[in-house]
Amino acid sequence: MRADSPGHCAKYGSYTMMNLEDNKVVDIQLIQSNEVGASPRMEREGFLRSLQFLESAGLRVGAIVTDRHPSIQKYLREQRPDIKHYFDTWHVSKGLAKKIDALGKERSCGEVLAWRRSIINHLYWCASSSKTGEEAVEKWKSVTNHVQNVHHHDSDLFPVCAHPPLEMRAWLTPSTKACERFCDLMINQRLLKDVAKLSPHHQTSSVEGFHSLILKFAPKNVAFSFVGMLNRLHLAALHYNENSNREYACSQSGEPSIRVKWPKYKKGEHSLHYRKTAPTYKYVESLLRLFF
């Protein structure tokens, strides 16, 4: 779900359903907070409306990838056990990174910060390389031994680390405060349950990209009517679906064009992004032909 304004007092909430296999928006539901009593309830209502719309159109939903919203978890667990529910890895890694940062600020625990990036990479690898949730959990739990330079584990599903021999690293010393607190964080029962449900194939980064595009059509610092907001959401979806699978742009030498970004959430680290060809606006011509 996307709120129409920053903070916790949103008036509108838009819920987007996207087919992650072909990167197309298939449904958008707009909910006003006074319909459901309060803004925190909009996400569950939007999910239920969108799921009902898809199934009424004859589509059988076999699996869905979302964030860890508690009410949606409960609904799918109790009311719809026939739908496989997966968690987006980025949302889990974002919360885990914050906890590692908080632990690193404690006294005698600063050395755990050196493992932050490796731990996040390991989380993505556990999700993408595992066939079952149990296998992903065993791979994840092995990190408590790995950071102590122990690479054989008491597990039938993952008895030994998959990496080649490593050079000297900033291994954590067993029985120290940093090591004990770090291991407790890694094998937290709630985190283990989340790791077991990580999506192995598709993530919701495309949905986040679509939410970023909506800012071009409906900025959060401008108030719109219900119909005005709905129309702008539909225009954003038309634009996104037309340009969702654009080809990558190339330089004059024929090599893929790459740009460097310095996102704020990476705290000084950079990321590389392939440039894409310019977007098209054929949907505007279709709308004009329809109207006139």
Side-chain angles (χ1 to χ4, degrees):
M1 194 199 77
R2 172 191 179 271
D4 71 315
S5 62
H8 301 281
C9 299
K11 182 179 181 181
Y12 301 121
S14 59
Y15 201 90
T16 303
M17 281 286 192
M18 180 179 290
N19 182 9
L20 298 176
E21 291 185 346
D22 62 2
N23 194 20
K24 301 291 185 182
V25 177
V26 295
D27 183 45
I28 294 178
Q29 295 290 335
L30 183 62
I31 303 94
Q32 193 163 329
S33 60
N34 58 11
E35 295 182 60
V36 293
S39 56
R41 301 176 185 175
M42 292 191 297
E43 182 158 358
R44 183 179 186 274
E45 180 65 22
F47 171 78
L48 295 178
R49 292 183 186 181
S50 194
L51 184 62
Q52 181 181 8
F53 167 77
L54 295 179
E55 292 181 334
S56 65
L59 177 66
R60 186 184 69 84
V61 180
I64 188 168
V65 185
T66 69
D67 58 9
R68 297 177 290 174
H69 196 277
S71 63
I72 292 180
Q73 290 187 55
K74 182 179 180 181
Y75 173 80
L76 291 174
R77 181 177 64 251
E78 297 179 354
Q79 305 295 329
R80 298 300 303 271
D82 56 308
I83 299 179
K84 293 182 179 179
H85 187 201
Y86 295 109
F87 292 154
D88 174 64
T89 308
W90 179 80
H91 284 87
V92 179
S93 66
K94 180 182 178 182
L96 179 61
K98 290 182 178 179
K99 293 180 179 179
I100 295 176
D101 290 338
L103 177 60
K105 294 178 182 179
E106 295 185 11
R107 187 175 182 180
S108 304
C109 295
E111 53 192 309
V112 303
L113 294 176
W115 289 95
R116 181 180 182 273
R117 185 171 183 177
S118 298
I119 295 301
I120 301 303
N121 290 340
H122 181 63
L123 183 67
Y124 277 91
W125 179 78
C126 290
S128 61
S129 65
S130 302
K131 297 181 179 179
T132 62
E134 293 78 6
E135 182 182 354
V137 170
E138 292 301 318
K139 289 180 177 179
W140 173 253
K141 290 164 62 176
S142 69
V143 76
T144 58
N145 288 332
H146 176 85
V147 297
Q148 302 177 64
N149 200 18
V150 177
H151 307 290
H152 290 79
H153 320 292
D154 186 15
S155 171
D156 295 332
L157 293 176
F158 193 65
V160 61
C161 289
H163 57 74
L166 300 175
E167 301 176 354
M168 181 60 64
R169 297 196 175 187
W171 308 110
L172 299 183
T173 305
S175 301
T176 60
K177 177 183 177 181
C179 184
E180 295 294 333
R181 292 291 308 280
F182 180 82
C183 292
D184 290 342
L185 177 61
M186 294 298 104
I187 59 175
N188 178 273
Q189 289 301 314
R190 183 178 179 182
L191 177 60
L192 294 181
K193 291 181 180 180
D194 293 342
V195 171
K197 299 181 70 175
L198 290 178
S199 175
H201 304 298
H202 303 291
Q203 308 299 331
T204 62
S205 56
S206 298
V207 181
E208 301 296 338
F210 172 63
H211 288 172
S212 178
L213 174 67
I214 293 177
L215 295 175
K216 304 289 186 180
F217 292 83
K220 289 191 175 184
N221 59 351
V222 181
F224 299 99
S225 65
F226 185 91
V227 175
M229 176 64 73
L230 185 61
N231 289 339
R232 289 170 180 270
L233 290 173
H234 287 167
L235 285 173
L238 288 172
H239 182 85
Y240 184 89
N241 285 348
E242 181 175 323
N243 295 279
S244 60
N245 296 314
R246 284 182 292 157
E247 297 182 352
Y248 292 112
C250 296
S251 60
Q252 294 181 352
S253 61
E255 298 293 330
S257 179
I258 301 176
R259 62 176 176 175
V260 181
K261 289 186 176 181
W262 303 86
K264 184 178 179 180
Y265 74 91
K266 285 201 170 185
K267 298 180 180 180
E269 297 184 9
H270 69 278
S271 59
L272 302 179
H273 294 263
Y274 288 96
R275 295 181 183 270
K276 292 187 176 182
T277 55
T280 58
Y281 303 88
K282 296 180 181 179
Y283 65 93
V284 177
E285 180 181 351
S286 300
L287 289 176
L288 291 174
R289 187 182 304 113
L290 175 65
F291 290 150
F292 299 107

